């Protein structure tokens, strides 16, 4: 799935703006990134982090319009104010001039609640802006999956994964992924590694003895865990022949790691997941840190 264009009218602090995106990395920088974040979620019919990321809801003259490519077909998503709709937001998706039915929309745009949740990286240092996911801990995700599969009542996990989580394919891939996980460098210069224990929890391994990680290292650990969890889901989707892959949304990663950290390397690892990526940051000078990135589009608000 690839969002090609987004137009926002009278939403958040934006009166009117139109954006064109690339298939790889799109960087949204400035003061009102929340409105763009929310508008993208609305256009994609996401169920999480819609208006929670913005203090504004749709007004009577609001409009969100997006051109989206999915599964080789072109779609138009349009959201307008409606007094009868939940959150006063009515989103319709069209293929050509024909409005998609609920069944067609689900087939083209829907992923499970668990997969959608895993498509967001919102670190706890940005909690004042994105409260709903402030406590999401990717280091425990795969361990939680393994625990859920061992419980007698797996109904909730099955529902969160649209049934995929209780299939033999999911079980087998989870086992192979955890047993085959190799240590990954977090900070090469400090010989800090990301490892995994026998339960499937990600851990850090340092050649030096110390009590805790720095703030930057904590963010890097969570981000690398986020990438690994999405790499796991990518393998599951491939094995199951599923093609719906929504974009990844990354909040304020550059804002909370040291300038000496190789941001380009982190984002190149992200693009290896073969997903469109949206990076939101308050740093309007972000271009300096991304000069070495070949595939990118930077939009300043």
């Amino acid at each position: 799935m690839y969002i090609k264009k987004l137009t926002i009218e009278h939403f958040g602090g934006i009166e009117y703006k139109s954006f064109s995106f690339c298939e790889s990395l799109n960087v949204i920088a400035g003061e009102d990134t929340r409105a763009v974040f929310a508008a993208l979620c609305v256009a994609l019919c996401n169920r999480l982090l819609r208006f929670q990321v913005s203090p504004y809801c749709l007004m009577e003259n609001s409009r969100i319009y997006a051109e989206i490519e999915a599964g080789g077909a072109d779609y138009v998503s349009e959201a307008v104010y409606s007094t009868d709709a939940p959150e006063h937001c009515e989103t319709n998706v069209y293929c050509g001039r024909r409005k998609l039915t609920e069944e067609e929309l689900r087939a083209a745009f829907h992923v499970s609640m668990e997969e959608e949740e895993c498509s967001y990286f919102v670190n706890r240092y940005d909690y004042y802006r994105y409260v709903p996911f402030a406590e999401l801990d990717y280091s425990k995700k795969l361990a939680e999956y393994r625990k859920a599969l061992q419980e007698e009542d797996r109904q909730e996990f099955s529902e969160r994964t649209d049934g995929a989580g209780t299939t033999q394919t999911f079980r087998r891939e989870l086992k192979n992924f955890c047993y085959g996980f190799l240590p990954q460098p977090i900070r090469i210069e400090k010989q800090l590694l990301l490892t995994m224990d026998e339960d499937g929890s990600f851990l850090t391994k340092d050649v030096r003895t110390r009590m805790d990680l720095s703030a930057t290292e904590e963010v890097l650990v969570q981000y690398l865990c986020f990438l690994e969890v999405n790499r796991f889901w990518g393998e599951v989707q491939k094995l199951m022949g599923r093609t719906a892959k929504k974009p990844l949304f990354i909040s304020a990663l550059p804002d909370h790691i040291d300038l000496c950290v190789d941001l380009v390397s982190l984002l190149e690892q992200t693009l290896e997941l073969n997903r469109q990526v949206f990076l939101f940051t308050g740093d309007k000078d972000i271009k300096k840190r991304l000069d070495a990135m070949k595939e990118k589009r930077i939009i300043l608000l």
Side-chain angles (χ1 to χ4, degrees), residues 28 33 37 121-123 125-130 219 249-257 263 278-283 289:
I28 318 296
T33 61
F37 194 124
F121 178 78
V122 182
N123 69 71
Y125 295 97
D126 208 28
Y127 70 93
Y128 61 93
R129 296 178 67 188
Y130 303 103
V219 173
F249 291 80
I250 302 165
S251 160
L253 175 66
D255 307 50
H256 300 296
I257 57 176
L263 180 60
F278 289 93
L279 173 66
F280 302 89
T281 174
D283 182 9
R289 298 184 69 178

Side-chain angles (χ1 to χ4, degrees), residues 288-301:
K288 297 176 183 178
R289 298 184 69 178
L290 298 178
D291 276 343
M293 289 287 301
K294 295 180 180 179
E295 300 179 58
K296 65 178 181 294
R297 178 159 296 170
I298 298 176
I299 298 170
L300 301 180
L301 297 180

Side-chain angles (χ1 to χ4, degrees), residues 83-148:
T83 55
D84 300 325
E87 300 172 317
H88 292 170
C89 176
E90 179 182 341
T91 304
N92 294 309
V93 179
Y94 302 86
C95 186
R97 295 185 178 182
R98 186 177 61 83
K99 178 182 172 181
L100 267 60
T101 65
E102 286 295 323
E103 184 176 342
E104 290 172 327
L105 179 60
R106 183 179 178 86
F109 276 52
H110 182 81
V111 297
S112 72
M113 191 69 80
E114 181 63 27
E115 290 168 89
E116 185 181 313
E117 181 177 278
C118 290
S119 69
Y120 296 105
F121 178 78
V122 182
N123 69 71
R124 61 195 175 106
Y125 295 97
D126 208 28
Y127 70 93
Y128 61 93
R129 296 178 67 188
Y130 303 103
V131 175
F133 282 4
E135 300 301 322
L136 184 62
D137 185 356
Y138 282 103
S139 69
K140 305 295 183 185
K141 270 291 185 186
L142 300 185
E144 290 170 358
Y145 295 168
R146 297 185 70 176
K147 183 179 179 181

Side-chain angles (χ1 to χ4, degrees), residues 15-294:
E15 287 298 312
Y16 177 90
K17 281 190 181 294
S18 188
F19 312 97
S20 294
F21 302 122
C22 67
E23 273 187 85
S24 52
L25 174 65
N26 298 277
V27 183
I28 318 296
E31 297 175 358
D32 199 12
T33 61
R34 289 178 295 178
V36 181
F37 194 124
L40 287 167
C41 291
V42 170
L44 287 170
C45 302
N46 284 4
R47 291 164 287 178
L48 300 170
L49 282 190
R50 288 158 54 88
F51 299 113
Q52 294 96 322
V53 302
S54 175
Y56 312 96
C57 292
L58 263 69
M59 301 175 289
E60 290 188 13
N61 57 348
S62 296
R63 178 174 175 264
I64 297 170
Y65 172 93
E67 296 176 11
I68 302 168
E69 182 181 312
D74 290 323
Y75 299 91
V76 168
S77 175
E78 185 173 26
V80 294
Y81 179 90
S82 171
T83 55
D84 300 325
E87 300 172 317
H88 292 170
C89 176
E90 179 182 341
T91 304
N92 294 309
V93 179
Y94 302 86
C95 186
R97 295 185 178 182
R98 186 177 61 83
K99 178 182 172 181
L100 267 60
T101 65
E102 286 295 323
E103 184 176 342
E104 290 172 327
L105 179 60
R106 183 179 178 86
F109 276 52
H110 182 81
V111 297
S112 72
M113 191 69 80
E114 181 63 27
E115 290 168 89
E116 185 181 313
E117 181 177 278
C118 290
S119 69
Y120 296 105
F121 178 78
V122 182
N123 69 71
R124 61 195 175 106
Y125 295 97
D126 208 28
Y127 70 93
Y128 61 93
R129 296 178 67 188
Y130 303 103
V131 175
F133 282 4
E135 300 301 322
L136 184 62
D137 185 356
Y138 282 103
S139 69
K140 305 295 183 185
K141 270 291 185 186
L142 300 185
E144 290 170 358
Y145 295 168
R146 297 185 70 176
K147 183 179 179 181
L149 290 173
Q150 293 168 3
E151 296 175 353
E152 290 186 11
D153 184 11
R154 298 186 291 272
Q155 185 62 31
E156 182 179 351
F157 184 60
S158 179
E159 291 175 355
R160 276 191 62 81
T161 59
D162 287 352
T166 51
T167 62
Q168 282 297 112
T169 299
F170 185 93
R171 289 171 176 272
R172 183 172 58 251
E173 182 55 30
L174 181 60
K175 179 180 178 180
N176 292 341
F177 192 92
C178 292
Y179 287 172
F181 184 79
L182 298 175
Q184 304 290 327
I186 300 170
R187 301 195 79 169
I188 296 175
E189 72 278 10
K190 293 188 177 183
Q191 295 182 285
L192 183 65
L193 300 175
L194 183 71
T195 63
M196 182 182 287
D197 67 14
E198 59 183 13
D199 295 323
S201 294
F202 292 102
L203 303 171
T204 56
K205 181 180 179 181
D206 197 339
V207 295
R208 301 175 302 162
T209 302
R210 52 175 168 160
M211 295 299 294
D212 51 24
L213 300 176
S214 69
T216 284
E217 288 166 348
E218 287 186 358
V219 173
L220 289 175
V221 168
Q222 279 297 321
Y223 190 73
L224 291 176
C225 292
F226 161 78
L227 294 183
E228 290 300 323
V229 169
N230 278 285
R231 187 164 68 86
F232 164 74
W233 272 110
E235 291 300 317
V236 171
Q237 290 166 341
K238 182 169 64 176
L239 290 169
M240 290 186 168
R242 297 162 65 184
T243 58
K245 294 182 180 180
K246 288 195 171 183
L248 296 173
F249 291 80
I250 302 165
S251 160
L253 175 66
D255 307 50
H256 300 296
I257 57 176
D258 294 339
L259 290 173
C260 61
V261 173
D262 188 354
L263 180 60
V264 169
S265 176
L266 285 175
L267 294 174
E268 286 177 342
Q269 290 179 61
T270 309
L271 293 179
E272 289 174 2
L273 296 171
N274 294 317
R275 307 261 294 270
Q276 188 180 29
V277 177
F278 289 93
L279 173 66
F280 302 89
T281 174
D283 182 9
K284 287 192 173 183
D285 293 324
I286 190 66
K287 185 178 183 300
K288 297 176 183 178
R289 298 184 69 178
L290 298 178
D291 276 343
M293 289 287 301
K294 295 180 180 179

